[in-house]
Structures are given as C-alpha cells and as structure tokens.
Amino acid sequence: MGKFEVLDHPLIQHKLTLIRDKNMGTKDFRETVNEISTLMAYEVSRDMPLEDVEIETPIIKTTRKQLTGKKVAVVPILRAGLGMVDGILDLIPAAKVGHIGMYRDETTLKPHEYFVKLPSDIDQRQLFVVDPMLATGGSAIMAIDALKKRGASSIKFVCLVAAPEGVKALQEAHPDIDIYTASLDDSLNEDGYIVPGLGDAGDRLFGTK
Ligand code: URA
C-alpha cells in the first residue's frame, strides 16, 4: 500500500483554514491555494533521491548532494487542479506539466477523457497528480487509470482536502500510489460536497458559479 499522509505543517493548516472561509474572495483564494501548494510540494518532495557530486567552492573542492532520479511532471486534473500548478512550479521550476480532463457520460455513467496532453516521457517521470478536492475519488481514479494506460508508474496524488470515502476508493483502485492531503475532512454530503470542505474549488478559484 502506498503512503497516506496528512501534511499538518502549521503554515499549511493555517492557510487551509483561511481558504475554507466562504467570505474569502477569488483573488485571495487563488493566491492562498498557490501558497499551500508550494508548501505541500516541499513536503511531498521530501523523499526525492540525492546523489554525490564533486564541486569546487571558492575555498576547496568537495563532494556534496544534488537531486537525482526521476524528473517531475505535474498533472492537474481539469479544471480545479490548475489552481495548484503554479505553486508547485515555484519550487520545482523544471517540472513539465501534463493536463488531463474527464467527464462522466450522464446516461452510460462511463468515464470519458476529453483532453489528455502529457509529456512524451511520462513513463520516466515522477508524477504529481493534483486536484484540490478528493471527494468520491471518481475523477482521481479515472485520471490515474488514464496515466497508467500511457505508461506512468510513479504517481503521487496531492490534494488540499480529502473525504474518507475518496481516500478509501482511491487506495482500493490504486494501492501503489502515495496520497497527500492537507486535511482529512469528515464526510461527503448528499450533493457530493466534502463536509466541512471549502465548497466548489473550481468555482472559488475561477470566480464562476
Ligand atoms: N469538488 C469540489 O470542488 N468540492 C467538493 O466539496 C467536492 C468536490
């Protein structure tokens, strides 16, 4: 089973409380989601491998650490996932960005990909799949299915708020992936919203309703 971690750094928790407030406007919401995403990227990248390299400081030659291993790609699930991308890129600026969009056919209830555009070396990369809300887990499961179908094997799913139902469903469907969230909330309501949650993350990020 992959990791499940609630990232409880005080700055993350504080900023998450701020964005839960229904009175926070679009500009502040977007900026704070960016900040939380940067802080989460710092925590999520904690296990990145390092290698020794020889360098020459102005004083002596020495052997020090640098990042090695797989390069990163950030994959937002459209549309709300877009809100987390810039904050992660602030910390990992060389990461590539793939996009994945899905809808569920209203009659067949079957998932359909309507947009998938990924770096060509997706199979070589460490993927950070991002979506602020892990509610039922449906879109995360479908997105990860779509990525694995294209060769992805190293996946971390990063969200701001998760419902227990979504975590369970995602872990059952994809036991190999790591899941990181800033909060494990109480439940889902009958409309599929996370409780207490923060409302519709896409609408709050983009000012739509
Ligand atoms: N998607 C959202 O944006 N919010 C929720 O609470 C659940 C799903």
Side-chain angles (χ1 to χ4, degrees):
M1 182 70 78
K3 279 185 207 160
F4 171 72
E5 278 188 35
V6 179
L7 302 178
D8 59 359
H9 189 290
L11 288 170
I12 296 176
Q13 295 304 306
H14 176 78
K15 288 172 191 289
L16 182 62
T17 299
L18 294 179
I19 64 170
R20 287 186 192 272
D21 187 336
K22 66 179 184 181
N23 295 314
M24 179 179 262
T26 304
K27 172 180 175 288
D28 289 340
F29 187 90
R30 195 181 290 145
E31 286 174 5
T32 313
V33 168
N34 262 318
E35 291 169 7
I36 297 171
S37 303
T38 304
L39 293 165
M40 291 186 79
Y42 178 77
E43 297 282 6
V44 170
S45 55
R46 205 169 261 288
D47 61 0
M48 278 181 166
L50 295 169
E51 65 181 355
D52 287 337
V53 287
E54 284 180 21
I55 56 160
E56 197 168 350
T57 75
I59 313 300
I60 53 161
K61 284 189 178 169
T62 182
T63 302
R64 297 287 129 172
K65 303 289 181 193
Q66 74 174 14
L67 286 171
T68 182
K70 290 182 174 169
K71 299 213 164 83
V72 171
V74 184
V75 183
I77 301 178
L78 301 178
R79 121 189 110 130
L82 291 173
M84 297 177 69
V85 174
D86 288 349
I88 297 175
L89 293 180
D90 280 348
L91 218 55
I92 313 176
K96 294 197 172 173
V97 181
H99 292 87
I100 185 151
M102 244 143 339
Y103 71 94
R104 193 182 289 272
D105 186 299
E106 302 260 307
T107 46
T108 66
L109 296 183
K110 285 216 174 113
H112 289 274
E113 305 161 6
Y114 68 85
F115 189 79
V116 181
K117 193 80 182 167
L118 302 168
S120 56
D121 56 353
I122 196 87
D123 54 326
Q124 313 282 328
R125 288 186 178 260
Q126 169 66 64
L127 304 187
F128 291 0
V129 178
V130 297
D131 195 352
M133 310 302 277
L134 178 60
T136 61
S139 43
I141 291 167
M142 284 183 248
I144 292 166
D145 284 341
L147 292 167
K148 286 186 174 172
K149 203 169 78 187
R150 289 166 175 82
S153 60
S154 205
I155 300 175
K156 292 174 187 282
F157 181 82
V158 187
C159 61
L160 304 184
V161 180
E165 296 88 332
V167 174
K168 184 167 179 281
L170 185 52
Q171 284 178 325
E172 279 172 10
H174 295 292
D176 55 310
I177 70 156
D178 295 333
I179 304 172
Y180 300 86
T181 185
S183 175
L184 180 61
D185 272 16
D186 300 343
S187 58
L188 279 181
N189 70 14
E190 60 278 10
D191 299 319
Y193 283 97
I194 299 178
V195 182
L198 49 76
D200 186 304
D203 282 346
R204 297 202 61 198
L205 277 166
F206 298 111
T208 50
K209 194 77 184 118

